[in-house]
Amino acid sequence: MGGVSSATASWGSSGLAYLTGLPDGPPDFSRANVLSHAQRVATAVGQRLGITVDAADLLAGRAALLGLTRGGRVSAGGATRLLAAADGWCAITLSRPDDAAAVPALVQADDVGTDPWSALRRWVTTHPRSAVVERATLLDIPAAALGEAAAAAPRIRPRGARGPSRDVGGLLVADLSSMWAGPLCGQLLALAGATVVKVESPRRPDGTRGGSQAFFDWMNDEKLSYCVDFDTNADELCALLTVADIVIEGSRPASLARRRLGPDDVEPGEGRIWLRIKGYDGTRPAFGDDAAVAGGLVGVAADGPVFCADAIADPLTGLEAARVVADSLSRGGGELIEVSMAAVAAGYAVLPPQASASNRPAPPPRLPPAGRPAARLGADNEAVRRMVAERSCRRC
């Protein structure tokens, strides 16, 4: 079997073809090379961390757990849509209550009725993509123009002194991220033997905690749960960040900086790696589906683009983040690393596409291996405080 047909077969059997294409049309195989490249990255990550990493499970696992299928220009998860603007395609995400509430202001209407998407579709049609994205960004609504982002390597800057080359086992990771990309990176590090502390605020815990329990468990069952108020207990959180070997965060830089919890505020430890996962190069909000569209990572239909798989920029970014952390550990760390979801998606979008239709089978994605329930919110607070105290003493 040749390379192209092998990639096509893997894409189909993984469930990713099942998730790509028009809902009333055939599954789309045009992005089969994405899985092939992702598995090469997963294999490299697994070799470096000493674990087995299956890219197909990572890319299609959420859809399997939630029972999702392809929606064409409606994302598999339902929160993002591809809309035709005056000069091309764009994507808008309404995943949070505040997003839907801001639609009247976006389209400059007093009332949009019960279906904000109808009003959005009409408004977007009369505006260029740049204006759509600019106005949506002002209102904090995630939006992207198709193909606006270019492929780019993670941005790496020195931050503190380098240490010796290290393996992951025994390291302390403070995971302040939420949703999918950052938590996936943290989960891979936990599976490799790191002690990963999932940090959440009681005012704003990880949004996935209130969604599918199976998905939340899949991303977090290897982690300790530490619940701390970022505003009233910033000193306590700062103590954890100060002794951590790796910090993962996905919030906007200003959010941590105003609490003096950013990488420029926390004392740099020898060899510490600070990983920042962003939607774009700037401070725009992003979710996996709109970030994928920004990178140009979409499927192909006769009359325009369709979503590629399920929020694919998220797991691809989580995998890439694990790779760059492993590489940094081999260099001795001491780095601030920024990974853009849209740039990661763009890197995959440039892979040569294949024929979009095939007579190969395209079954639904398989369920990822079963894990255990994730810790309840704040279940490990005392254990984490003891760990921080012990590590702080060793630094004295």
Side-chain angles (χ1 to χ4, degrees):
M1 183 179 291
V4 172
S5 57
S6 175
T8 301
S10 297
W11 182 258
S13 63
S14 68
L16 292 166
Y18 175 88
L19 295 168
T20 309
L22 293 171
D24 55 353
D28 184 343
F29 288 77
S30 63
R31 291 298 184 179
N33 281 328
V34 167
L35 178 57
S36 300
H37 184 68
Q39 186 54 55
R40 288 193 288 273
V41 176
T43 299
V45 169
Q47 290 173 344
R48 179 67 181 85
L49 298 182
I51 58 176
T52 299
V53 185
D54 188 310
D57 280 347
L58 299 186
L59 270 59
R62 188 184 86 140
L65 291 168
L66 274 61
L68 305 181
T69 187
R70 61 184 179 274
R73 295 189 182 96
V74 177
S75 65
T80 309
R81 299 198 183 187
L82 275 160
L83 303 174
D87 59 350
W89 293 89
C90 63
I92 295 179
T93 298
L94 302 180
S95 65
R96 305 164 297 186
D98 288 349
D99 298 329
V103 170
L106 176 61
V107 302
Q108 297 174 299
D110 293 331
D111 184 19
V112 297
T114 59
D115 179 16
W117 289 111
S118 295
L120 269 175
R121 189 176 295 107
R122 292 191 299 269
W123 180 78
V124 168
T125 301
T126 62
H127 291 74
R129 298 180 304 165
S130 59
V132 172
V133 173
E134 180 180 6
R135 185 161 178 78
T137 300
L138 287 174
L139 295 168
D140 207 34
I141 298 175
L146 176 60
E148 66 170 270
R155 184 181 181 186
I156 301 174
R157 289 177 283 171
R159 178 62 188 157
R162 289 196 186 279
S165 176
R166 294 182 289 177
D167 293 326
V168 176
L171 299 185
L172 176 60
V173 180
D175 181 4
L176 281 68
S177 65
S178 61
M179 306 305 286
W180 195 353
L184 171 56
C185 177
Q187 182 76 340
L188 292 173
L189 297 177
L191 290 169
T195 297
V196 180
V197 177
K198 182 169 183 63
V199 182
E200 298 172 85
S201 165
R203 303 184 191 187
R204 195 172 182 178
D206 187 336
T208 60
R209 187 180 279 277
S212 165
Q213 187 64 46
F215 175 66
F216 184 82
D217 292 345
W218 184 43
M219 286 293 102
N220 299 287
D221 68 348
E222 295 291 328
K223 305 172 187 177
L224 303 176
S225 177
Y226 178 58
C227 182
V228 58
D229 192 301
F230 287 29
D231 293 310
T232 61
N233 294 99
D235 290 345
E236 184 175 320
L237 178 53
C238 184
L240 170 61
L241 302 182
T242 299
V243 300
D245 300 294
I246 300 170
V247 177
I248 303 172
E249 54 109 337
S251 56
R252 300 182 191 183
S255 176
L256 291 179
R258 70 170 176 264
R259 298 175 171 91
R260 300 191 62 78
L261 294 170
D264 293 331
D265 305 302
V266 178
E267 176 190 346
E270 180 183 87
R272 179 183 300 130
I273 299 167
W274 193 293
L275 173 68
R276 174 175 289 159
I277 295 178
K278 306 166 66 175
Y280 303 92
D281 287 337
T283 59
R284 289 160 52 188
F287 288 86
D289 284 304
D290 57 85
V293 170
L297 185 52
V298 293
V300 179
D303 57 348
V306 293
F307 285 105
C308 177
D310 170 36
I312 196 167
D314 268 309
L316 290 178
T317 301
L319 190 57
E320 175 68 6
R323 183 191 69 79
V324 296
V325 166
D327 289 347
S328 182
L329 285 171
S330 69
R331 294 189 295 267
E335 294 176 335
L336 169 62
I337 303 172
E338 294 183 334
V339 182
S340 159
M341 292 170 62
V344 170
Y348 281 86
V350 300
L351 296 172
Q354 299 190 31
S356 62
S358 170
N359 58 4
R360 289 187 175 275
R366 60 182 181 267
L367 288 169
R372 57 186 177 182
R376 61 177 175 79
L377 184 63
D380 303 297
N381 275 16
E382 289 307 313
V384 171
R385 290 185 183 116
R386 287 195 299 269
M387 189 185 313
V388 170
E390 291 168 1
R391 283 182 163 243
S392 298
C393 287
R394 292 203 297 266
R395 289 165 56 92
C396 296

